[in-house]
Amino acid sequence: MAPTTRSDVALTQWQQVFEHLDRLRQGVATDSAFCAMARTQQDLIGALPARYATVLSDLLDRLESSALFTEESCSFSRKDLLESLQMWLDKARQQLPG
C-alpha cells in the first residue's frame, strides 16, 4: 500500500468540502457547521496558492454573517455565496494534482 501523500490528503479534504457544500445546499448541514469544517481543511488550504486561503476565509466569514439574516440581504445573498463557494472549489480542484 502506497503511503498517503499531502496531495492525497488535500484531494480527500477537497472532496469532503465539496460533499458538505452539497449537504448545505440541501438543507442537511448548517452554515456554521460547514464553515467550521471548511476552516479545518489545512492540507487542502496549504496545497493551494496563498490567495485561495484569503478568498475562502472571506467567503466563509460572509456566509457566517449571512446566517444572521432570515431573508436575502443585498450585502449577503446566501445563494450567491454558495455559488461563489462552488466556484472556489472548482478553481481549487484545477490547482490540485491528480
Side-chain angles (χ1 to χ4, degrees):
M1 181 182 213
T4 302
T5 65
R6 182 173 183 180
S7 174
D8 292 336
V9 174
L11 283 171
T12 298
Q13 290 182 354
W14 179 91
Q15 185 67 37
Q16 290 170 343
V17 175
F18 180 84
E19 290 170 0
H20 206 109
L21 180 59
D22 191 46
R23 289 193 296 275
L24 183 61
R25 283 190 181 116
Q26 294 173 16
V28 178
T30 65
D31 293 350
S32 60
F34 173 80
C35 291
M37 181 278 310
R39 290 184 195 282
T40 64
Q41 306 309 306
Q42 293 304 308
D43 287 301
L44 169 60
I45 294 166
L48 298 167
R51 67 185 179 272
Y52 280 79
T54 302
V55 171
L56 179 61
S57 180
D58 179 56
L59 289 170
L60 296 175
D61 288 347
R62 290 170 52 204
L63 184 61
E64 287 173 325
S65 295
S66 74
L68 300 174
F69 300 98
T70 56
E71 297 177 12
E72 293 287 310
S73 162
C74 61
S75 298
F76 297 108
S77 167
R78 187 171 187 280
K79 179 180 177 269
D80 290 347
L81 286 171
L82 296 180
E83 288 174 5
S84 294
L85 283 163
Q86 182 63 58
M87 185 183 317
W88 184 93
L89 278 166
D90 294 343
K91 290 183 180 208
R93 181 60 187 96
Q94 293 172 1
Q95 294 290 318
L96 296 171

